[in-house]
Amino acid sequence: MDMENAGPLGSGPDPFPDPVTSVTAVVDARGTVTGWSSGAQRLLGYPCEDVVGRPAARLLGGNADIAVDLSAVLGGRSRTVPLRHQDGHHVDAELRAYASLDREGDAQWLVVATSPPRPHRGPPPQEDEVTTEEAFAQCHLPAMIYDAELRALRASAGAARELGLTEEQMRGRRVTDILPPHICTTVEEGMRRVFETGEPERFQVRGQPQHGTRERYWAVSVSPLRNPAGQVRHVQLIALDVTEQHRARDRLVLLNDVSAQVGSTLDVMRTAQEMADVAVGRLADFISIDLLDGLFRGVEPRPSATGSVALRRAAQQSVLPGIPEALIEPGEVDYYPGASPPARCLDTGRSSLHRTLDEAIESWQVADPGRAAKVRDFGMHSIMIIPLRARGITLGVAVLVRHRRRDSFDEDDLLLAEEIAARAAVAVDNARRFTRERTTALALQRSLLPQRLAAQEAVEVAYRYLPARSRAGLGGDWFDVIPLSGARVALVVGDVVGHGLRASATMGRLRTAVHTLADVDLPPEELLVHLDDLITHLRAEEGPASDPELEIVTDLVASCLYLVYDPVSRRCAAAGAGHPPPAVVTPDGKAEFIDLPVGPPLGVGGLPFEAVEWEVPPGSLLVLYTDGLVEVPEHDLGRGMALLRRCLERPTPSLEATCDDLVHSLLPAQPSDDVALLVARTRALDAAQVATWDLPSDPAAVADARAQVSRRLASWGLHEVAFTAQLVVSELVTNAIRYGAPPVNLRLIRDTVLICEVSDGSSTAPHMRRARMLDEGGRGLLLVAQFAERWGTHHGAGGKSIWAEISLQDGHP
């Protein structure tokens, strides 16, 4: 038993000056020494080869009672005995023996030698004075002292309480003999570093200090203990239980993650799934979130008053792959019995905490065998039912379950789950409100857009309208196709600056105004002037609109492109107000943008607009669009228009395919702005479908005009409308000669309808009036209105034209 070869205990140098190795020996059941440490060699002077294999009795000064002495110290009871040094003198030592088994399973003892208690020097302690020894022994904190071989020398009452062992049972044992391996590695590595560096170490460990207890968190501090010479002979380990602080921090981190991750979108299903993803693995092993069905349509939730409750599964998540605990999939409806905890939670708005053995859960399982099977199969033992309440309304129920964690939910977990559910419920309600408002706005906007395009033969049309997917809401983009006189057609696209209901309502007003002005048949540049005046008046009435959530203030401004195509002359006339120019794709596949003067946006006021005319080959494509198609976050307007041009030059089988190709090629999956796209393929009327006559400004020309019309209708095979056409032409020509000015011109156009058009050099528009009984005139336009399907006036630079359309269907008068 290794001790320093200095003098006996209590005199001279300390007999245990160097605990780098312990003073230990191993003795088998026959009293033979089988192990001998270097510390024992220093204490008694015997080398290992002189002791191992020999009786331990020779070390006790020839005392034959060695077996009795070993038995006295067996089990950790100490006894002071004299030991024989190699040079013959005796060394007193306090021996403790610990029983163990050798590799063959035979009994043996680990004998540990320590210095006996030294006589107290100095004044005797007072009766009520607490000694350092008593303070350490009674310390409620887990504190232990280890030697250089990392064996326990002392343990406080706190350490004994936490580890479930007495100090005597821990003495001489390493950490690996007491704690789980992952804790041992951390602690022992820390103690070794302290012995090597002499600097304190601090670290955290977690685990179960005793079998069957809850996992705990410990802040461990390892400090060096130095002798008077400054050498580190021992280390002191103090462990502070920080489980509650750690759990509180985890709760704060979880709540912070809920705030950061839940509600990232305004989608009800996505928001609920974000809550489930955050909570599973950190609070629960399985979670299901069911919401009232009306939430998915954006309406105010109304739970059923009696009977079972039908809830739609919004989200679910599990620590197990595939979520095997779930009975249904997201989007499906789950039914809860009226007396079940989820149904009561939905009715009362109060959460509840259950064990699966509770009466409420057992009754629920009886009424719901499918769910009961899941409880048994997965060993579910703890359940929380949490309402999702926001703004005083219960939106649904979250069910949290534990089956992998052995710890049951407690009241702290319930409070945490309620806080998570409250934050998630606000996000869900925001999503619900957004869904309702967006559905309302979208319905309004679609009602303001063309439900179906008016019939006309000048162009073949395809279109796309894509509402924005941003939180700013719907925009004010629109398009239209308006038939005009003389078989012409007007193509319109526009965009009201801003988003929301105001933009949609303004768009509806502008679209109505365009229809009204198109009926007057104004040139494009004049029509834009009237629209500009309209927006100026609207802005004066309403004032600027502000959106506090978006932190923007928008004035009433819009852009517009108005294009008129004439299939007879195959010419286009267009004017723009702050709008991207139209694109033209010729039949040979070449695309180009029209060099259209960039007019000011509508609402600026006081600035002129210019129109451009050009000829279009038959079969060309006219492409009108709003800036949302070409200006996206991925690229600017210039690059977007270059991409649009390249896409238009790719051949496609149809106009619908062209629209799809442009949308897929130019737009992201979630466009941030509204997009209106209008693609028209031009048609041209053959010269044989048009007949034109110049008429003298003489009443006698009326009879000749009727005769020429009759002959041309006969050549076209339109005998059934000859009488009606002659009557209409007679009245229109008479009106032009009597009230107009030369030159007078008559034109017939055979299309899906027969168009009769009489023009003269006067800009005075005719008015239909009610003739009195004895009046000889005043009935011409009344007759035209009765026999024609449509009629109107078109003003041009050289005068006006009065036109009328006669149906070619059988049976028309």
CSV table of all heavy atoms in Angstrom, one decimal, residues 770-798:
chain,number,residue,atom,x,y,z
A,770,ARG,N,-89.7,62.7,-81.8
A,770,ARG,CA,-91.0,62.1,-82.0
A,770,ARG,C,-91.8,63.1,-82.9
A,770,ARG,O,-92.0,64.3,-82.6
A,770,ARG,CB,-91.7,62.0,-80.7
A,770,ARG,CG,-93.2,61.4,-80.8
A,770,ARG,CD,-93.8,61.3,-79.5
A,770,ARG,NE,-93.1,60.3,-78.7
A,770,ARG,CZ,-93.2,59.0,-78.7
A,770,ARG,NH1,-94.1,58.5,-79.6
A,770,ARG,NH2,-92.5,58.2,-77.9
A,771,ALA,N,-92.2,62.6,-84.1
A,771,ALA,CA,-92.9,63.5,-85.1
A,771,ALA,C,-94.4,63.6,-84.7
A,771,ALA,O,-95.0,62.6,-84.2
A,771,ALA,CB,-92.8,62.9,-86.5
A,772,ARG,N,-95.0,64.8,-84.9
A,772,ARG,CA,-96.4,65.0,-84.7
A,772,ARG,C,-97.2,64.4,-85.8
A,772,ARG,O,-96.7,64.0,-86.8
A,772,ARG,CB,-96.7,66.5,-84.5
A,772,ARG,CG,-96.1,67.1,-83.2
A,772,ARG,CD,-96.6,68.5,-83.0
A,772,ARG,NE,-96.1,69.4,-84.1
A,772,ARG,CZ,-94.9,70.0,-84.0
A,772,ARG,NH1,-94.1,69.9,-82.9
A,772,ARG,NH2,-94.5,70.8,-85.0
A,773,MET,N,-98.5,64.3,-85.6
A,773,MET,CA,-99.4,63.6,-86.4
A,773,MET,C,-99.4,64.1,-87.9
A,773,MET,O,-99.3,63.3,-88.8
A,773,MET,CB,-100.9,63.7,-85.9
A,773,MET,CG,-101.9,62.9,-86.7
A,773,MET,SD,-101.7,61.1,-86.5
A,773,MET,CE,-102.2,60.9,-84.8
A,774,LEU,N,-99.3,65.4,-88.1
A,774,LEU,CA,-99.4,66.0,-89.4
A,774,LEU,C,-98.0,66.4,-90.0
A,774,LEU,O,-98.0,66.9,-91.1
A,774,LEU,CB,-100.3,67.2,-89.4
A,774,LEU,CG,-101.8,67.0,-88.9
A,774,LEU,CD1,-102.5,68.3,-88.9
A,774,LEU,CD2,-102.4,66.0,-89.9
A,775,ASP,N,-96.9,66.0,-89.2
A,775,ASP,CA,-95.6,66.4,-89.8
A,775,ASP,C,-95.3,65.5,-90.9
A,775,ASP,O,-95.6,64.3,-90.9
A,775,ASP,CB,-94.5,66.2,-88.7
A,775,ASP,CG,-94.6,67.3,-87.6
A,775,ASP,OD1,-95.3,68.2,-87.9
A,775,ASP,OD2,-93.9,67.1,-86.6
A,776,GLU,N,-94.6,66.0,-92.0
A,776,GLU,CA,-94.2,65.3,-93.1
A,776,GLU,C,-92.9,64.6,-92.9
A,776,GLU,O,-92.5,63.6,-93.6
A,776,GLU,CB,-94.1,66.2,-94.4
A,776,GLU,CG,-95.5,66.8,-94.8
A,776,GLU,CD,-95.3,67.6,-96.0
A,776,GLU,OE1,-94.2,67.7,-96.5
A,776,GLU,OE2,-96.3,68.2,-96.4
A,777,GLY,N,-92.0,65.1,-92.0
A,777,GLY,CA,-90.7,64.5,-91.8
A,777,GLY,C,-90.5,64.2,-90.3
A,777,GLY,O,-91.4,64.2,-89.5
A,778,GLY,N,-89.3,63.8,-90.0
A,778,GLY,CA,-88.9,63.6,-88.6
A,778,GLY,C,-89.1,62.1,-88.2
A,778,GLY,O,-88.9,61.8,-87.0
A,779,ARG,N,-89.4,61.2,-89.2
A,779,ARG,CA,-89.6,59.8,-88.8
A,779,ARG,C,-88.4,58.9,-89.3
A,779,ARG,O,-88.5,57.7,-89.1
A,779,ARG,CB,-90.9,59.3,-89.3
A,779,ARG,CG,-92.1,60.0,-88.7
A,779,ARG,CD,-93.4,59.5,-89.3
A,779,ARG,NE,-94.6,60.2,-88.7
A,779,ARG,CZ,-95.1,61.3,-89.1
A,779,ARG,NH1,-94.5,62.0,-90.2
A,779,ARG,NH2,-96.1,61.8,-88.6
A,780,GLY,N,-87.5,59.5,-90.0
A,780,GLY,CA,-86.4,58.7,-90.6
A,780,GLY,C,-85.6,57.9,-89.6
A,780,GLY,O,-85.5,56.7,-89.7
A,781,LEU,N,-85.0,58.5,-88.6
A,781,LEU,CA,-84.2,57.8,-87.7
A,781,LEU,C,-85.0,56.9,-86.8
A,781,LEU,O,-84.5,55.8,-86.3
A,781,LEU,CB,-83.4,58.8,-86.8
A,781,LEU,CG,-82.3,59.6,-87.5
A,781,LEU,CD1,-81.6,60.5,-86.5
A,781,LEU,CD2,-81.3,58.6,-88.1
A,782,LEU,N,-86.3,57.2,-86.6
A,782,LEU,CA,-87.2,56.3,-85.8
A,782,LEU,C,-87.4,55.0,-86.6
A,782,LEU,O,-87.3,53.9,-86.0
A,782,LEU,CB,-88.5,57.0,-85.6
A,782,LEU,CG,-89.5,56.2,-84.8
A,782,LEU,CD1,-89.0,55.9,-83.4
A,782,LEU,CD2,-90.8,57.0,-84.7
A,783,LEU,N,-87.5,55.1,-87.9
A,783,LEU,CA,-87.7,53.9,-88.7
A,783,LEU,C,-86.4,53.1,-88.7
A,783,LEU,O,-86.4,51.9,-88.7
A,783,LEU,CB,-88.1,54.3,-90.2
A,783,LEU,CG,-89.5,54.9,-90.3
A,783,LEU,CD1,-89.7,55.3,-91.8
A,783,LEU,CD2,-90.5,53.8,-90.0
A,784,VAL,N,-85.2,53.8,-88.8
A,784,VAL,CA,-83.9,53.1,-88.8
A,784,VAL,C,-83.8,52.4,-87.5
A,784,VAL,O,-83.3,51.2,-87.5
A,784,VAL,CB,-82.8,54.1,-89.0
A,784,VAL,CG1,-81.4,53.5,-88.8
A,784,VAL,CG2,-82.9,54.7,-90.4
A,785,ALA,N,-84.1,53.0,-86.4
A,785,ALA,CA,-84.0,52.4,-85.1
A,785,ALA,C,-84.9,51.1,-85.0
A,785,ALA,O,-84.5,50.1,-84.3
A,785,ALA,CB,-84.3,53.4,-84.0
A,786,GLN,N,-86.1,51.2,-85.7
A,786,GLN,CA,-87.0,50.1,-85.6
A,786,GLN,C,-86.5,48.9,-86.4
A,786,GLN,O,-86.7,47.7,-86.0
A,786,GLN,CB,-88.4,50.5,-86.0
A,786,GLN,CG,-89.0,51.5,-85.1
A,786,GLN,CD,-89.4,50.9,-83.7
A,786,GLN,OE1,-89.8,49.7,-83.7
A,786,GLN,NE2,-89.1,51.7,-82.7
A,787,PHE,N,-85.9,49.2,-87.6
A,787,PHE,CA,-85.6,48.1,-88.5
A,787,PHE,C,-84.1,47.6,-88.3
A,787,PHE,O,-83.8,46.5,-88.8
A,787,PHE,CB,-85.8,48.5,-90.0
A,787,PHE,CG,-87.3,48.5,-90.4
A,787,PHE,CD1,-88.1,49.6,-90.2
A,787,PHE,CD2,-87.8,47.4,-90.9
A,787,PHE,CE1,-89.4,49.6,-90.5
A,787,PHE,CE2,-89.2,47.3,-91.3
A,787,PHE,CZ,-90.0,48.5,-91.1
A,788,ALA,N,-83.3,48.4,-87.8
A,788,ALA,CA,-81.9,48.0,-87.6
A,788,ALA,C,-81.7,47.3,-86.2
A,788,ALA,O,-82.4,47.6,-85.3
A,788,ALA,CB,-81.0,49.2,-87.8
A,789,GLU,N,-80.7,46.5,-86.2
A,789,GLU,CA,-80.4,45.8,-84.9
A,789,GLU,C,-79.6,46.8,-84.0
A,789,GLU,O,-79.8,46.9,-82.8
A,789,GLU,CB,-79.5,44.6,-85.2
A,789,GLU,CG,-79.4,43.7,-83.9
A,789,GLU,CD,-78.8,42.4,-84.3
A,789,GLU,OE1,-77.5,42.3,-84.4
A,789,GLU,OE2,-79.5,41.4,-84.6
A,790,ARG,N,-78.7,47.6,-84.6
A,790,ARG,CA,-78.0,48.7,-83.9
A,790,ARG,C,-77.8,49.8,-84.9
A,790,ARG,O,-77.7,49.6,-86.1
A,790,ARG,CB,-76.6,48.2,-83.4
A,790,ARG,CG,-76.6,47.2,-82.3
A,790,ARG,CD,-75.2,47.1,-81.6
A,790,ARG,NE,-74.1,47.0,-82.6
A,790,ARG,CZ,-72.9,47.5,-82.4
A,790,ARG,NH1,-72.7,48.2,-81.3
A,790,ARG,NH2,-72.0,47.4,-83.3
A,791,TRP,N,-77.6,51.0,-84.4
A,791,TRP,CA,-77.3,52.1,-85.2
A,791,TRP,C,-76.6,53.2,-84.4
A,791,TRP,O,-76.6,53.2,-83.1
A,791,TRP,CB,-78.5,52.7,-85.9
A,791,TRP,CG,-79.4,53.6,-84.9
A,791,TRP,CD1,-80.3,53.1,-84.0
A,791,TRP,CD2,-79.4,55.0,-84.8
A,791,TRP,NE1,-80.8,54.1,-83.3
A,791,TRP,CE2,-80.3,55.3,-83.8
A,791,TRP,CE3,-78.7,56.0,-85.4
A,791,TRP,CZ2,-80.6,56.6,-83.4
A,791,TRP,CZ3,-78.9,57.3,-85.1
A,791,TRP,CH2,-79.8,57.6,-84.0
A,792,GLY,N,-75.9,54.1,-85.1
A,792,GLY,CA,-75.1,55.1,-84.3
A,792,GLY,C,-74.4,56.1,-85.3
A,792,GLY,O,-74.6,56.0,-86.5
A,793,THR,N,-73.6,56.9,-84.7
A,793,THR,CA,-72.9,57.9,-85.4
A,793,THR,C,-71.4,57.8,-85.1
A,793,THR,O,-71.0,57.6,-84.0
A,793,THR,CB,-73.4,59.3,-85.0
A,793,THR,OG1,-74.8,59.4,-85.2
A,793,THR,CG2,-72.7,60.4,-85.8
A,794,HIS,N,-70.6,58.0,-86.2
A,794,HIS,CA,-69.1,57.9,-86.0
A,794,HIS,C,-68.6,59.2,-86.6
A,794,HIS,O,-68.8,59.6,-87.8
A,794,HIS,CB,-68.6,56.7,-86.8
A,794,HIS,CG,-67.1,56.8,-87.0
A,794,HIS,ND1,-66.2,56.9,-85.9
A,794,HIS,CD2,-66.3,56.7,-88.1
A,794,HIS,CE1,-65.0,57.0,-86.3
A,794,HIS,NE2,-65.0,56.9,-87.7
A,795,HIS,N,-67.9,60.0,-85.8
A,795,HIS,CA,-67.3,61.2,-86.2
A,795,HIS,C,-65.8,61.0,-86.6
A,795,HIS,O,-65.1,60.3,-86.0
A,795,HIS,CB,-67.3,62.3,-85.0
A,795,HIS,CG,-68.7,62.7,-84.7
A,795,HIS,ND1,-69.3,63.9,-85.3
A,795,HIS,CD2,-69.7,62.2,-83.9
A,795,HIS,CE1,-70.5,64.0,-84.9
A,795,HIS,NE2,-70.8,63.0,-84.0
A,796,GLY,N,-65.5,61.6,-87.7
A,796,GLY,CA,-64.1,61.6,-88.2
A,796,GLY,C,-63.6,63.0,-88.5
A,796,GLY,O,-64.3,64.0,-88.3
A,797,ALA,N,-62.4,63.0,-89.1
A,797,ALA,CA,-61.8,64.3,-89.3
A,797,ALA,C,-62.5,65.1,-90.4
A,797,ALA,O,-62.5,66.3,-90.4
A,797,ALA,CB,-60.3,64.1,-89.7
A,798,GLY,N,-63.1,64.4,-91.4
A,798,GLY,CA,-63.8,65.1,-92.5
A,798,GLY,C,-65.3,65.1,-92.3
A,798,GLY,O,-66.0,65.4,-93.3
